[in-house]
């Protein structure tokens, strides 16, 4: 794990999609991967996207002669959040899966192949956990995020209560071990009634806190949520400390739907400045906003998928220390991962000025080594197109 920070957040250039790596403890090899987008075209020499599975295989610790990932969390099963999972589960041992079952029940007809593979694996683990009365080891663990009424349903009856987290609470265990001294994932969403709305409204939403001694760095990860849910999160969170962020991942890949909205009965969408003010108020020092997307155009046509130039403009107005796009970071031809490290000195952005000293060069070499395949480009959209 030469290129990973000791403890920190990594946002990978995988196009308009999410692949976020949380390094909880580099020395002990404790890694949380939130979402995945691995495109076959990324292995080609001149393709600007990172072959994320190949990089993880090089960087993850080995256990029983196989790369080992502590936890994989799926915010929701749109293709741009789970692409490549079928390959990942074959080539990497995953200690524990995190997911919310509601979306699979509501949207089971149009799951892509990788989403179906995730569902199959997650439900295998659910069944084994129930039959084993919670006594399962790494490779079979699963943690459900949702509400207690889930456990009344037939397929979840008997699932251990302590392996379910209700939004509004925190997860501090990773793959069966307590890391509360350095890790806290506060679950903001989905809300209990979110399954009644659009599929993006079922996204898991976390505020991840990583600590090194008395210093803590915060990352807000809100999946593909749009204005109504983002507003609810900031309005309804009782302890405002759980809204603090150093890194804010722009929801839905820099979609304008976070701050421009048209309510029922209205004729056109308008700017909802209140939600931007709430996001800005929650910013800590330092504070960066990250867009996980293709390069952001100077302007958009009506009906364009994210990223949206108008959203970038609004984020630039409220980001205390800057706005960064994954597919533009380090140059559009050969973008580099956006990395933030948490140390006793604070949260540090591995920007271009500190790249060599921080170890970004070794990651760049790993990315280069992972390329060179002859596989044809894969589709860049699928179930859950960026809309």
């Amino acid at each position: 794990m030469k290129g990973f920070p000791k403890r920190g957040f990594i946002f990978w250039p995988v196009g308009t999609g999410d692949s976020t790596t949380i390094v909880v403890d580099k020395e002990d090899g404790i890694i949380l991967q939130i979402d995945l987008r691995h495109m076959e075209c990324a292995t080609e020499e001149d393709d600007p996207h990172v072959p994320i599975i190949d990089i993880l295989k090089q960087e993850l610790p080995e256990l029983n002669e196989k790369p080992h990932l502590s936890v994989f969390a799926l915010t929701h099963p749109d293709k741009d959040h789970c692409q490549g999972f079928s390959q990942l589960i074959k080539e990497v041992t995953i200690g524990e899966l995190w997911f919310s079952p509601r979306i699979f029940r509501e949207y089971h007809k149009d799951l892509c192949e990788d989403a179906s593979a995730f569902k199959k694996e997650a439900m295998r683990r659910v069944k084994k956990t129930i039959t084993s009365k919670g006594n399962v080891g790494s490779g079979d663990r699963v943690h459900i995020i949702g509400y207690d009424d889930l456990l009344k349903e037939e397929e979840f009856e008997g699932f251990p209560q302590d392996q379910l987290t209700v939004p509004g609470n925190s997860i501090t265990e990773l793959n069966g071990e307590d890391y509360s001294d350095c890790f806290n994932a506060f679950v903001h969403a989905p809300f209990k009634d979110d399954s009644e709305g659009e599929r993006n409204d079922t996204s898991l939403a976390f505020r991840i806190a990583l600590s090194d001694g008395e210093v803590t760095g915060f990352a807000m990860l809100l999946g593909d949520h749009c204005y109504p849910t983002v507003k609810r999160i900031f309005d309804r969170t009782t302890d405002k400390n759980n809204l603090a962020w150093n890194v804010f991942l722009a929801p839905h890949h820099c979609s304008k739907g976070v701050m421009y909205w048209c309510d029922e009965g209205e004729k056109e969408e308008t700017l909802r400045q209140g939600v931007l003010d709430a996001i800005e108020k929650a910013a800590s020092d330092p504070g960066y906003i990250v867009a996980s997307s293709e390069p952001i155009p100077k302007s958009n046509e009506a009906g364009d998928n994210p990223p949206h130039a108008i959203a970038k403009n609004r984020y630039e107005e409220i980001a205390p220390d800057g706005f960064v796009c994954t597919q533009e970071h380090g140059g559009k031809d050969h973008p580099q991962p956006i990395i933030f490290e948490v140390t006793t000195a604070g949260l540090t952005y591995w920007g271009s000025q500190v790249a060599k000293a921080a170890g970004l060069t070794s990651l760049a070499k790993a990315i280069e080594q992972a390329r060179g395949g002859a596989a044809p480009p894969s589709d860049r959209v699928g179930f859950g197109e960026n809309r």
Side-chain angles (χ1 to χ4, degrees):
M1 300 173 64
K2 296 180 180 179
F4 280 10
K6 175 184 176 183
R7 179 169 290 125
F9 311 101
I10 307 176
F11 302 88
W12 299 94
V14 293
T16 300
D18 276 347
S19 289
T20 304
T21 302
I22 312 296
V23 184
V24 179
D25 191 315
K26 175 181 177 178
E27 184 176 347
D28 290 342
I30 308 304
I31 307 296
L32 162 64
Q33 180 68 31
I34 300 179
D35 290 335
L36 181 78
R37 193 181 195 216
H38 179 93
M39 295 183 290
E40 292 179 3
C41 61
T43 60
E44 297 179 357
E45 183 177 358
D46 295 327
D47 192 273
H49 307 94
V50 165
I52 181 63
I53 292 178
D54 297 335
I55 301 304
L56 289 174
K57 286 166 60 179
Q58 291 187 40
E59 295 292 324
L60 290 174
E62 284 197 358
L63 182 65
N64 298 325
E65 300 183 348
K66 193 173 182 180
H68 181 266
L69 175 64
S70 302
V71 178
F72 179 84
L74 180 66
T75 61
H76 63 295
D78 283 2
K79 186 173 182 178
D80 56 351
H81 290 256
C82 65
Q83 189 170 358
F85 183 82
S86 300
Q87 177 183 345
L88 181 72
I89 197 67
K90 291 176 182 178
E91 300 179 3
V92 174
T93 299
I94 302 175
E96 182 175 64
L97 294 182
W98 293 0
F99 80 114
S100 180
R102 291 187 182 277
I103 181 129
F104 291 104
R105 184 175 65 246
E106 299 296 324
Y107 304 103
H108 59 85
K109 294 182 180 180
D110 54 354
L111 293 177
C112 68
E113 180 181 346
D114 287 305
S116 295
F118 180 91
K119 179 182 179 182
K120 181 179 179 180
E121 174 63 14
M123 294 312 296
R124 180 194 71 80
R125 294 178 183 224
V126 167
K127 184 176 181 179
K128 185 163 186 176
T129 300
I130 293 172
T131 57
S132 302
K133 297 183 179 180
N135 186 24
V136 294
S138 180
D140 291 318
R141 291 194 176 99
V142 61
H143 196 102
I144 292 177
I145 296 170
Y147 286 84
D148 294 348
D149 56 358
L150 276 171
L151 304 188
K152 298 177 183 178
E153 298 177 7
E154 183 177 355
E155 59 186 341
F156 297 104
E157 187 177 353
F159 190 85
Q161 182 78 35
D162 62 357
Q163 292 176 40
L164 176 143
T165 295
V166 175
N169 294 276
S170 293
I171 302 173
T172 57
E173 286 192 2
L174 297 161
N175 196 23
E177 298 292 333
D178 180 27
Y179 289 93
S180 56
D181 61 329
C182 61
F183 172 83
N184 183 298
F186 183 85
V187 183
H188 280 290
F191 290 99
K192 193 169 186 177
D193 58 353
D194 279 343
S195 61
E196 299 174 3
E198 296 293 329
R199 61 176 174 240
N200 287 338
D201 295 339
T202 65
S203 297
L204 298 183
F206 300 105
R207 200 290 301 273
I208 305 289
L210 295 178
S211 301
D212 193 328
E214 297 182 357
V215 174
T216 302
F218 305 104
M220 185 71 81
L221 312 172
L222 302 182
D224 277 4
H225 285 295
C226 52
Y227 169 74
T229 304
V230 174
K231 183 178 186 297
R232 289 170 75 185
I233 287 171
F234 280 88
D235 286 349
R236 294 190 181 186
T237 301
T238 305
D239 184 351
K240 299 305 180 183
N241 291 323
N242 290 317
L243 296 171
W245 57 269
N246 296 108
V247 186
F248 184 88
L249 182 61
H252 202 183
H253 323 296
C254 200
S255 168
K256 65 178 180 177
V258 174
M259 73 286 289
Y260 287 89
W261 194 253
C262 181
D263 283 325
E264 186 177 351
E266 296 179 343
K267 294 183 178 180
E268 59 183 27
E269 61 189 22
T270 57
L271 175 64
R272 307 307 172 100
Q273 186 63 43
V275 75
L276 287 172
D277 292 342
I279 294 170
E280 181 179 22
K281 184 178 180 181
S284 298
D285 182 21
Y288 297 88
I289 294 179
V290 174
S292 57
S293 72
E294 295 287 358
I296 300 171
K298 293 183 179 179
S299 63
N300 295 93
E301 299 292 333
D304 281 358
N305 288 331
H308 295 137
I310 195 170
K312 173 186 176 181
N313 294 339
R314 299 292 80 78
Y315 284 133
E316 287 182 327
E317 293 169 355
I318 66 170
D321 293 279
F323 173 93
V324 195
C325 173
T326 52
Q327 214 59 42
E328 299 175 0
H329 188 248
K332 296 180 181 180
D333 292 335
H334 300 285
Q336 299 300 314
I338 299 171
I339 302 176
F340 299 92
E341 183 171 29
V342 179
T343 69
T344 54
L347 181 135
T348 302
Y349 163 48
W350 285 15
S352 58
Q353 299 301 316
V354 296
K356 291 184 179 180
L360 187 54
T361 300
S362 62
L363 268 184
K365 290 180 178 178
I367 293 170
E368 183 178 355
Q369 291 171 0
R371 301 193 193 280
S378 64
D379 293 337
R380 299 192 180 184
V381 294
F383 165 64
E385 292 180 2
N386 299 314
R387 54 180 176 221

